[in-house]
Amino acid sequence: MKKRDFLTLKDLSIGELTGLIDRAGQMKEAGPGMTQCPLIGKSVGLLFEKASTRTRVSFETGIYQLGGQSIFLSPRDVQLSRGEPLSDTARVLSRYLSALVVRTYSHGNIELLAREATIPVINALTDLSHPCQILADLMTVKEIRGRLEETVIAYLGDGNNVANSLLIGCAMTRMHLRLACPSGYDPDGDFLREGKRLAASVGGSVQVLRDPAAACAGAHFIYTDVWTSMGQEEEAEKRRRDLKPYQLNARRLAEAAPGARILHCLPAHRGEEITEEMMAHPQSAIFDQAENRLHTQKALMEFLVK
Ligand code: CP
Ligand code: NVA
């Protein structure tokens, strides 16, 4: 049987995506006990070129809870740092491991690894996308609203990797995404075209707006992410200036639907993209989102790792 990768949400059918969200709910309810051990006797590698708290710990914990072993591979410690090609690394790791979870800068690198590896490769964030985050976000929305379809999400700020994946995830599940960002901070053109095309065929919508108030009006969820992603540190000052009108704050929450919930994929920069008040607000679902990384990734690994 041909191995399956998870480089983008589109590697799943709509039915598979919603099935994974439901399965993650069952796993959350069942708790951490190792009653289901699809990874028993198997090792999963984590090749992480960038820092991570949630993704690393939720994958390592999830692998353990599924009965497997995780091996964290910092590129500094493996022979990649001394020039061994990615293609050889992918082939060699495929002889030991049952899956490879990769966090890297270039999306091209993860595509190359996936082409060369004979085991599933899972995207744990690239400069272009962060599909594992969106699995947890969709699960969180479903827990709160009981369904995904017809949910209105406003995303404020940078059209970054999280925004790119969010617009595909929303489009696949018949949600309405209003993404508000300044000119020059739009999501990736290919992702946006694909999101709009998918939304039109499934029945939801994806819009890019310049006005954050219009994006938030009546929204069920307001979501933001950092203004300066990993690797963009030199642009931090300009980004703070340009993105200031897109902060998630009490004014934006007041424009949303009554009882609207607040989302952030974390890590957060209080006083930049979100205020302390919103982080600590009773309508925040931010830490549930973080927890749901564990459950959705367990469901993903159960599905992919044979
Ligand atoms: N949200 C997220 O991916 O967090 P980490 O960078 O800590 O993994
Ligand atoms: N957009 C952020 C997400 C971190 C989880 C980054 O790439 O740094």
Side-chain angles (χ1 to χ4, degrees):
M1 202 170 52
K2 198 175 171 298
K3 62 116 176 188
R4 301 268 306 261
D5 298 309
F6 182 64
L7 304 191
T8 138
L9 289 161
K10 284 199 56 211
D11 286 329
L12 301 174
S13 68
I14 292 174
E16 287 168 344
L17 173 61
T18 54
L20 276 189
I21 307 294
D22 292 343
R23 178 68 181 135
Q26 291 166 1
M27 286 176 148
K28 184 171 184 171
E29 212 170 307
M34 287 199 247
T35 46
Q36 304 256 325
C37 296
L39 296 187
I40 205 143
K42 297 183 198 281
S43 301
V44 175
L46 274 74
L47 184 62
F48 276 40
E49 228 183 335
K50 297 182 182 182
S52 169
T53 298
R54 280 143 290 272
T55 309
R56 175 178 176 178
V57 178
S58 56
F59 264 108
E60 293 213 40
T61 305
I63 291 161
Y64 179 72
Q65 289 182 6
L66 295 177
Q69 174 206 30
S70 69
I71 304 178
F72 187 79
L73 302 161
S74 154
R76 275 188 309 281
D77 302 331
V78 294
Q79 296 286 8
L80 278 170
S81 64
R82 298 180 60 253
E84 184 167 23
L86 275 175
S87 52
D88 289 354
T89 305
R91 284 183 215 158
V92 170
L93 293 180
S94 298
R95 301 293 178 108
Y96 311 128
L97 303 173
S98 297
L100 184 62
V101 181
V102 181
R103 173 168 282 204
T104 184
Y105 289 91
S106 151
H107 196 77
N109 281 351
I110 203 169
E111 288 177 335
L112 191 155
L113 282 164
R115 267 198 311 278
E116 298 294 335
T118 55
I119 52 173
V121 173
I122 296 174
N123 180 353
L125 181 144
T126 69
D127 286 348
L128 195 62
S129 61
H130 195 6
C132 286
Q133 177 65 51
I134 283 31
L135 294 180
D137 301 345
L138 296 178
M139 178 177 180
T140 309
V141 168
K142 185 150 187 205
E143 280 179 336
I144 291 168
R145 262 179 73 75
R147 65 195 166 106
L148 294 170
E149 60 278 10
E150 286 156 25
T151 301
V152 179
I153 299 202
Y155 175 96
L156 306 178
D158 187 20
N160 60 15
N161 43 10
V162 169
N164 289 335
S165 293
L166 184 66
L167 65 87
I168 300 296
C170 290
M172 286 175 77
T173 52
R174 203 146 56 85
M175 292 168 55
H176 299 285
L177 176 68
R178 303 183 197 138
L179 193 152
C181 63
S183 168
Y185 292 86
D186 284 349
D188 176 79
D190 290 338
F191 274 73
L192 185 56
R193 267 186 297 281
E194 184 56 15
K196 287 191 169 181
R197 191 196 63 76
L198 267 168
S201 74
V202 176
S205 62
V206 170
Q207 278 175 284
V208 174
L209 308 170
R210 297 288 175 239
D211 179 3
C216 291
H220 303 113
F221 291 84
I222 317 179
Y223 191 164
T224 194
D225 182 22
V226 291
W227 289 342
T228 300
S229 286
M230 290 179 275
Q232 298 174 327
E233 288 75 11
E234 283 178 7
E235 301 167 18
E237 206 181 305
K238 176 173 165 40
R239 288 175 162 271
R240 269 195 291 274
R241 257 194 328 272
D242 294 347
L243 288 154
K244 198 163 184 242
Y246 295 84
Q247 185 186 63
L248 200 171
N249 53 33
R251 190 167 150 204
R252 297 282 91 93
L253 185 63
E255 290 156 353
R261 305 296 297 266
I262 298 157
L263 301 174
H264 191 310
C265 67
L266 299 174
H269 292 76
R270 290 165 171 81
E272 293 191 18
E273 78 278 0
I274 190 164
T275 58
E276 169 62 35
E277 187 192 359
M278 292 297 100
M279 284 295 299
H281 199 281
Q283 283 160 239
S284 161
I286 292 171
F287 293 96
D288 298 317
Q289 248 181 302
E291 178 185 335
N292 288 338
R293 297 294 306 275
L294 171 68
H295 309 299
T296 46
Q297 288 159 192
K298 280 171 71 179
L300 178 70
M301 288 188 285
E302 180 190 61
F303 175 72
L304 289 179
V305 182
K306 303 294 171 211

